[in-house]
């Protein structure tokens, strides 16, 4: 199995690195970070990752992975990334979206008539790409795997490996990564976090949400025009 | 708060990137990856990270973070890394070990008489550095925070932020990262994973364990000599 992970500037690095850790530990699987160029890619909080392939040199893959973050909102409107995702998905066996990565999958027309999820602050927007929205942490619809926000990419990568390489392989990786989580606080979803925390996060990200709504509307219009 | 994360080749990248995601999201906090040089650092499964400081250019920090992986086993025997960790810890307010990062903390003499944990396959070795071993996922002893293997660094980083910046800040980060985990399989510790899975992981890593035992014995002897 070869996995290509879409890597653009200003992504959430844990959207990339969480699934990478699981996928790259799977015996016989290979993982490339695919970027526009081979230059280091700066993620949203400053961590810089080195790509291992460009859109031009990327191998065909079995699993195309699209993580999220502000940068992916921008990539939705970049014809080169839309074309790359469409081209890769045409031959990939599986499609794996993490967080707001599902927005780019939607913009590429890959979510029409499909059930898909994403970060809790953005997944409602997937309807504009013709998807049925799932509020689950992990959503599988045929060969399409979509995870909720950021850390859910780790859970979903374990499920992907379980489905495609066998549960025992995934369980070995889970143990090697000592993944029996104990978050120190109850919360982590809008349903489980205290209401003041939910309201504070919504207030902090209001401006970004408005911008994202504009970007999605434009990407969805372009998607409809193209078809 | 400024955090310096020790970054050497052949570490487990999620040991670094998990805590980074949490620490770097904390308002007003800054995080550097400190390496021997400014060249890209290859982690154990091939992902390459760009450092943001060297041992020579690193700022004094409030929190010195030491993640784990094979590379840290080697760093235990590197006088330059031992000296760096000792020098940084002398003025840091907090020390944060993740996974086998606690081995380097031990080799630097920072665990004597302290309660500390680490990856489930290595933490018993901490006694050689004078520590009392904890099998907990998260262990705090005064200003010393040590996490279990790999993913426990995420849980512990949330606790560190909660303790030092306030629980509400940590809970907002937890929600923004949608961290209400649902591992698809029961397991993730030697106590919760099925016994055949535990035995398989132990068998796969037997050779590495033997090498680590040698490295720890040598590092512990050097530590005792130095004091």
């Amino acid at each position: 199995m070869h996995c290509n992970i879409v890597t653009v500037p200003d992504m959430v690095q844990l959207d990339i690195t969480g699934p990478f850790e699981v996928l790259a530990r799977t015996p016989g699987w290979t993982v490339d970070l695919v970027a526009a160029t081979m230059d280091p890619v700066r993620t949203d909080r400053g961590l810089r990752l080195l790509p291992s392939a460009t859109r031009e040199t990327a191998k065909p893959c079995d699993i195309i992975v699209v993580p999220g973050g502000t940068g992916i909102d921008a990539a939705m409107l970049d014809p080169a990334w839309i074309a790359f995702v469409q081209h890769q998905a045409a031959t990939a066996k599986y499609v794996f979206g993490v967080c707001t990565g599902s927005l780019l999958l939607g913009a590429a027309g890959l979510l029409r008539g499909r059930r898909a999820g994403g970060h809790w602050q953005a997944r409602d927007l997937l309807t504009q790409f013709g998807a049925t929205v799932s509020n689950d942490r992990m959503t599988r619809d045929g060969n399409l795997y979509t995870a909720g926000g950021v850390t859910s990419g780790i859970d979903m990568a374990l499920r992907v490996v379980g489905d495609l390489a066998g549960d025992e392989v995934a369980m070995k990786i889970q143990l090697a990564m000592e993944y029996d989580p104990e978050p120190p606080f109850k919360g982590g979803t809008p349903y489980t976090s205290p209401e003041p925390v939910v309201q504070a996060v919504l207030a902090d990200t209001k401006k970004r949400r408005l911008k994202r709504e504009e970007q999605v509307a434009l990407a969805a219009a372009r998607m409809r025009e193209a078809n």
Side-chain angles (χ1 to χ4, degrees), chain A:
Chain A
M1 284 277 179
H2 179 66
C3 312
N4 280 335
I5 304 184
V6 168
T7 309
V8 304
D10 292 318
M11 290 172 84
V12 173
Q13 61 84 12
L14 193 57
D15 281 23
I16 301 168
T17 54
F20 183 99
E21 189 67 45
V22 176
L23 300 172
R25 282 173 181 259
T26 308
W29 291 29
T30 50
V31 186
D32 273 326
L33 298 194
V34 181
T37 72
M38 292 301 276
D39 293 336
V41 177
R42 188 189 180 279
T43 56
D44 66 348
R45 308 283 165 171
L47 186 73
R48 288 173 299 165
L49 304 172
L50 243 74
S52 48
T54 66
R55 287 186 299 241
E56 288 71 31
T57 64
K59 291 181 276 193
C61 67
D62 300 287
I63 310 178
I64 173 79
V65 185
V66 184
T70 314
I72 278 294
D73 295 5
M76 273 190 304
L77 298 170
D78 180 341
W81 278 116
I82 297 284
F84 176 77
V85 170
Q86 288 172 334
H87 180 73
Q88 288 269 315
T91 55
K93 296 188 189 78
Y94 302 92
V95 174
F96 178 6
V98 181
C99 196
T100 55
S102 50
L103 295 176
L104 177 55
L105 295 176
L110 298 169
L111 300 188
R112 266 176 300 202
R114 310 291 291 270
R115 190 164 171 268
H119 192 283
W120 63 275
Q121 291 184 267
R123 57 196 173 213
D124 59 298
L125 299 171
L126 296 175
T127 54
Q128 296 188 45
F129 299 118
T132 302
V133 174
S134 164
N135 289 324
D136 297 342
R137 188 166 175 86
M138 292 183 275
T139 304
R140 179 177 181 179
D141 180 349
N143 74 337
L144 172 69
Y145 292 83
T146 47
V150 193
T151 57
S152 39
I154 299 172
D155 295 12
M156 189 54 125
L158 285 167
R159 177 175 283 187
V160 166
V161 170
D163 286 355
L164 311 184
D167 287 355
E168 197 190 313
V169 173
M171 291 169 86
K172 282 171 64 177
I173 293 170
Q174 180 179 0
L175 177 57
M177 289 170 50
E178 208 164 331
Y179 189 50
D180 191 357
E182 287 176 31
F185 307 100
K186 182 173 144 48
T189 73
Y191 320 113
T192 55
S193 288
E195 191 55 26
V197 170
V198 177
Q199 292 308 322
V201 170
L202 288 172
D204 288 351
T205 51
K206 193 172 173 185
K207 201 171 146 191
R208 180 161 161 211
R209 166 72 195 204
L210 292 174
K211 174 144 192 210
R212 177 175 282 153
E213 286 174 10
E214 283 174 23
Q215 290 167 310
V216 167
L218 185 53
R222 286 192 192 168
M223 182 202 81
R224 285 188 301 267
E225 259 169 49
N227 289 278

